[in-house]
Structure formats: structure tokens, C-alpha cells
């Protein structure tokens, strides 16, 4: 972004939001973070003295949370809505009604308030989980029919449908993220790459379910680059658009991820188990042609970079207690 802007980030203390906050401040923008701090706020502490940073503890499921937070302050230009119950284990654990409240009704509340404030852009974080299982074995793209396999995906699809019907007000932009990995101010260890490295490093063992499944992976720093491209794109390239955010090189099987871990931790013992979970059963390859063509997005990091980075953080004790629950959105993780 060439000129200084004021951007609101909901869920700004989280895995993506804390790193996005850091990058936007580095680029010279003003950032207001709204977060309920379900996983603590340590990730925001380094920004507290920054003159362009402001934090408001707020529950964005409430109908006037955004309006109240902005009262008396300069109007923002854009909002990046990251606040959500993320992942199918977390959604399953709180139940359908609560998941719908946090992941759908909250989106409606925030969008309506953003419209009242006259914001220009509404960037929404969604997921490639929405595609579910590929029907014909071909790579899925933004026009592929959606076949959600989890409550989490159902909530994200409902939120997408609401936003894409609102194009006369704030311009909505939907990013369907691939599975993230890598280190951020609030790292997560309930994501496949990060989890595999942690298990291999601490236990010298990996137990793998759904062995042959293909998924798509993207480094959290590359996701930040993609979001910023969306904030900076011409309005006609983002209004009412859906973009898969990832990289073709990130379409990998679990065996390929295990291979990257074993390259650096060869003493790890790997056990495979046949076990089916009634949840997130993605087995797909994703096309990222649209975001490459329309926004010029190109990932700079690979899954191998992520494995190396996470392992370094563990070995050097940059993250001293990676088993702490604050590094997980839910205790249950399917490998």
C-alpha cells in the first residue's frame, strides 16, 4: 500500500492477526485491533508503544462492538475480519449454535457496523475446507461447487454467502486460506506442519491418520502478503471476489509433509493408523491460478522452510512451552 491507511483487524491477537498487525505497522499504516483475547494478548505487547497502534478489548459478536470501539477516533479505511472459532475441532467442541453465533452472526454484525462507518473494504478470512472432497479428482477453483465436510466449513460458507450478497455497500473480498504453517507472535501447534514438527521433536514419533490425503499448505507470512495485496488491489478486482490463497507448490500429501520432517529429524518413528473421523476429511488439490493472475500473488516460502523455521524455534527455545493450550484452538488434532 503506497499511502498510509487506517485498518481495523478483528481477531488481531491471533495467529494471522498478530503478524498482520506487525507488517501493517512496519509499512506505516495505522492499526486498530479488536479482540476478546480468548488465547491471551501477549502477541500484541510489542506494539503497545507504537504511535500507530491501538487495541480495544471487544466481543465482535455484539451488535455495536465496532461502532463503540471507533467512537471518537479517525474513521478506518478497511477492515480485515479474522475473529472466529477456527477449525473443525474447535467448532465441534462449542456446538452448532455457538459456532454459528461466532462465525456467521458476528460477520453480519461487523459488516453492518462497518457499512454504517462508511468503510471501503471488508476482507474476510475463509477456508478451502469449504470445498470438502473433490468430486472428480481435478483441482478445485473458486467456481467449484462447495461440499462442506464439517461444521466449521458450513459456518464459513454461510458467512461468505451473506457477504457476497452485500456488494452495494462495502466491497467484500473473501480469501479461502490453505492450511497455514510457520511461526507468528501467536503460533499455533494444532496445524499439521507445525504439529508434526513438534511431535517429532518432542516425542521422536509421529502417528499419522488419513495417510494418503492431499491438502494444500501456505506459510502464514505468505498469507499476510496475500491479504495486503487484497487491501491494495483496485476496487474492481476485489469487490465481491473470492480468491483461493495459497500456492501450487503447497499441494502436498501427508506423506510428503512427513518426508520433510524426517529430512531434519531422521530418527523419528512413523506409525500409520486407519482411523476415520466424523469431521474435516479434506482430500483435494487446489488451484491458485486466479490470485496469481488477478492480484499477482506469488508465495515466497515453502513447507520445507516452515519445517526448518518451526524446528529452529523449538530447538532454540524461542517458544519455551509449546504444549501450552494457548498455542491451540482446540485440544483435539487429527493427524
Amino acid at each position: 500500500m503506497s499511502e498510509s491507511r487506517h485498518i481495523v483487524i478483528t481477531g488481531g491477537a491471533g495467529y494471522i492477526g498478530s503478524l498482520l498487525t506487525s507488517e501493517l505497522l512496519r509499512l506505516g499504516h495505522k492499526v486498530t485491533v479488536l479482540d476478546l483475547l480468548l488465547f491471551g494478548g501477549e502477541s500484541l505487547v510489542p506494539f503497545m508503544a507504537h504511535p500507530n497502534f491501538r487495541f480495544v478489548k471487544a466481543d465482535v459478536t455484539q451488535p455495536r462492538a465496532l461502532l463503540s470501539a471507533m467512537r471518537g477516533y479517525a474513521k478506518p479505511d478497511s477492515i480485515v475480519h479474522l475473529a472466529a472459532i477456527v477449525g473443525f475441532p474447535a467448532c465441534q467442541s462449542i456446538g452448532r449454535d455457538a459456532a454459528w453465533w461466532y462465525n456467521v452472526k458476528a460477520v453480519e454484525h461487523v459488516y453492518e457496523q462497518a457499512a454504517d462507518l462508511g468503510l471501503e473494504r471488508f476482507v474476510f478470512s475463509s477456508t478451502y475446507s469449504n470445498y470438502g472432497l473433490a468430486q472428480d479428482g481435478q483441482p478445485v477453483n473458486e467456481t467449484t461447487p462447495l461440499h462442506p465436510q464439517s461444521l466449521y466449513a458450513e459456518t464459513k460458507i454461510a458467512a461468505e454467502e451473506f457477504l457476497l450478497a452485500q456488494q452495494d455497500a462495502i466491497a467484500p473480498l473473501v480469501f479461502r486460506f490453505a492450511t497455514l504453517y510457520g511461526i507468528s507472535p501467536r503460533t499455533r501447534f494444532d496445524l499439521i506442519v507445525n504439529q508434526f514438527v513438534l511431535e517429532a521433536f518432542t516425542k521422536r514419533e509421529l502417528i499419522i491418520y488419513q495417510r494418503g490425503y492431499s491438502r494444500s499448505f501456505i506459510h502464514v507470512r505468505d498469507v499476510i502478503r496475500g491479504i495486503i495485496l487484497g487491501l491494495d488491489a483496485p476496487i474492481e478486482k476485489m469487490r465481491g471476489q473470492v480468491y483461493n490463497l495459497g500456492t501450487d507448490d503447497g499441494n502436498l500429501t501427508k506423506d510428503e509433509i512427513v518426508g520433510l520432517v524426517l529430512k531434519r529429524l531422521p530418527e523419528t518413528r512413523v506409525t500409520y493408523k486407519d482411523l476415520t473421523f466424523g469431521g474435516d476429511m479434506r482430500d483435494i488439490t487446489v488451484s491458485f491460478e486466479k490470485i496469481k493472475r488477478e492480484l499477482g500473488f506469488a508465495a515466497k516460502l515453502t513447507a520445507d522452510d516452515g519445517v526448518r523455521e518451526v524446528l529452529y524455534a523449538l530447538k532454540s527455545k524461542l517458544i519455551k512451552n509449546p504444549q501450552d493450550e494457548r498455542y491451540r484452538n482446540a485440544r483435539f488434532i487429527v493427524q
Side-chain angles (χ1 to χ4, degrees):
M1 286 175 276
S2 56
E3 58 187 40
S4 178
R5 298 180 187 172
H6 180 191
I7 297 153
V8 173
I9 307 174
T10 69
Y15 182 46
I16 299 172
S18 57
L19 195 59
L20 178 61
T21 296
S22 174
E23 183 63 8
L24 289 173
L25 291 173
R26 188 187 71 81
L27 292 171
H29 303 293
K30 294 180 180 179
V31 177
T32 295
V33 165
L34 275 63
D35 201 297
L36 193 55
L37 304 182
L38 292 176
F39 303 100
E42 291 87 349
S43 62
L44 298 177
V45 169
F47 314 131
M48 293 304 294
H50 198 293
N52 286 342
F53 175 76
R54 179 170 168 260
F55 169 70
V56 180
K57 187 176 182 182
D59 180 354
V60 297
T61 67
Q62 299 306 305
R64 296 189 59 81
L66 177 60
L67 292 173
S68 298
M70 292 296 108
R71 190 176 296 122
Y73 289 87
K75 186 186 82 171
D77 304 282
S78 305
I79 187 165
V80 180
H81 184 67
L82 300 171
I85 303 300
V86 178
F88 88 88
C91 284
Q92 289 294 112
S93 68
I94 66 170
R96 175 170 292 274
D97 289 347
W100 214 263
W101 179 250
Y102 280 100
N103 288 2
V104 183
K105 297 306 293 185
V107 175
E108 297 174 6
H109 289 324
V110 172
Y111 184 88
E112 288 161 1
Q113 292 168 79
D116 289 343
L117 288 169
L119 273 63
E120 181 184 57
R121 297 167 189 244
F122 190 104
V123 177
F124 179 62
S125 59
S126 192
T127 172
Y128 82 119
S129 295
N130 295 355
Y131 295 111
L133 301 173
Q135 298 301 294
D136 53 9
Q138 296 300 307
V140 296
N141 61 38
E142 291 81 355
T143 64
T144 300
L146 305 179
H147 299 283
Q149 302 291 303
S150 67
L151 173 59
Y152 174 54
E154 290 173 16
T155 64
K156 285 297 186 178
I157 291 171
E160 284 187 14
E161 290 173 346
F162 167 79
L163 289 172
L164 296 176
Q166 312 298 317
Q167 298 183 34
D168 291 337
I170 310 170
L173 170 62
V174 172
F175 282 121
R176 291 178 183 154
F177 298 154
T179 298
L180 277 69
Y181 59 83
I183 299 298
S184 93
R186 189 247 156 178
T187 298
R188 285 179 58 191
F189 284 106
D190 56 352
L191 296 162
I192 286 178
V193 174
N194 296 358
Q195 175 76 11
F196 282 12
V197 176
L198 176 63
E199 294 295 322
F201 177 70
T202 58
K203 300 178 180 178
R204 296 298 188 262
E205 182 180 22
L206 283 174
I207 300 174
I208 308 299
Y209 306 105
Q210 304 167 0
R211 176 179 183 178
Y213 279 35
S214 295
R215 296 201 177 186
S216 192
F217 300 89
I218 182 77
H219 197 290
V220 63
R221 291 207 299 276
D222 281 324
V223 164
I224 301 308
R225 294 185 185 102
I227 291 172
I228 291 173
L229 282 174
L231 288 168
D232 203 30
I235 203 77
E236 66 273 10
K237 287 200 172 183
M238 57 86 62
R239 182 183 293 278
Q241 293 297 313
V242 176
Y243 290 99
N244 293 333
L245 179 43
T247 174
D248 292 337
D249 292 340
N251 285 316
L252 300 167
T253 65
K254 287 190 177 181
D255 279 349
E256 287 173 316
I257 297 296
V258 169
L260 296 175
V261 174
L262 292 177
K263 183 172 75 171
R264 300 184 186 281
L265 294 166
E267 66 277 19
T268 304
R269 183 173 72 256
V270 182
T271 303
Y272 296 94
K273 291 190 176 182
D274 290 327
L275 186 60
T276 300
F277 295 89
D280 190 357
M281 300 292 290
R282 279 166 293 169
D283 182 16
I284 54 176
T285 299
V286 184
S287 168
F288 301 101
E289 175 59 33
K290 182 179 177 181
I291 195 169
K292 186 164 42 178
R293 180 184 70 247
E294 297 296 331
L295 299 185
F297 175 78
K300 295 184 178 181
L301 298 162
T302 66
D304 190 43
D305 294 323
V307 169
R308 183 176 66 249
E309 173 183 283
V310 174
L311 184 57
Y312 177 79
L314 294 171
K315 282 184 172 180
S316 61
K317 298 192 182 301
L318 279 172
I319 299 177
K320 189 174 183 180
N321 184 17
Q323 305 292 354
D324 194 292
E325 288 188 11
R326 64 180 166 168
Y327 298 118
R328 286 160 183 77
N329 286 359
R331 292 184 182 180
F332 181 69
I333 175 68
V334 176
Q335 296 185 344

